[in-house]
Amino acid sequence: MFKGLGQFASLMKSAHEIQGRMKEMQETLRRLKIEATAGGGMVTVEMNGQQQVLNCHIEKSLFESGDREMIEDLVVAAVNGALEKVKQAAAEEMSKLAGGMDIPGLSDTLAQLGQAGPDGH
């Protein structure tokens, strides 16, 4: 009976440690800034590690071209590029923060995050 209590206490300690590390990771991701460009730098998107777009810059000459479809395509490409970089950076941060912790399935999940395509697959 007491053996089970020891295991439960150990599990609770691990859960508390995981919670603390997750808060730390969220703060790290919030501060992380990732930039991606499209169209040879004509469109630049900055995103944080929480996948929030912080800034979007479109060169004036692109607007002057009047090609709305090209602008739309380049914005989408830059956002998707930034999102891929954020996913990779987030997977790396999770790996660092989880270092040494034996969490079942964590390694597989991190590998999938780092390899996910633009649609998450």
Side-chain angles (χ1 to χ4, degrees), residues 42-101:
M42 295 184 81
V43 175
T44 302
V45 170
E46 182 182 36
M47 188 177 281
N48 69 14
Q50 293 176 320
Q51 301 178 0
Q52 296 170 320
V53 175
L54 303 174
N55 191 12
C56 178
H57 175 76
I58 301 170
E59 290 291 326
K60 184 178 179 181
S61 62
L62 191 55
F63 279 118
E64 291 170 349
S65 76
D67 191 342
R68 191 182 96 205
E69 285 183 27
M70 182 180 1
I71 294 170
E72 291 169 349
D73 289 344
L74 292 176
V75 168
V76 168
V79 169
N80 285 337
L83 187 56
E84 283 304 307
K85 289 180 178 183
V86 165
K87 286 179 185 180
Q88 182 64 38
E92 290 170 9
E93 285 300 320
M94 283 189 75
S95 180
K96 283 185 218 174
L97 288 174
M101 293 183 69

Side-chain angles (χ1 to χ4, degrees), residues 26-38:
Q26 286 297 321
E27 181 59 26
T28 299
L29 291 177
R30 187 187 64 75
R31 289 189 314 256
L32 183 68
K33 303 279 191 289
I34 299 290
E35 192 174 275
T37 63

Side-chain angles (χ1 to χ4, degrees), residues 14-30:
S14 293
H16 183 68
E17 184 179 341
I18 291 169
Q19 185 179 21
R21 287 185 181 197
M22 289 302 291
K23 284 181 183 181
E24 180 184 335
M25 186 189 73
Q26 286 297 321
E27 181 59 26
T28 299
L29 291 177
R30 187 187 64 75

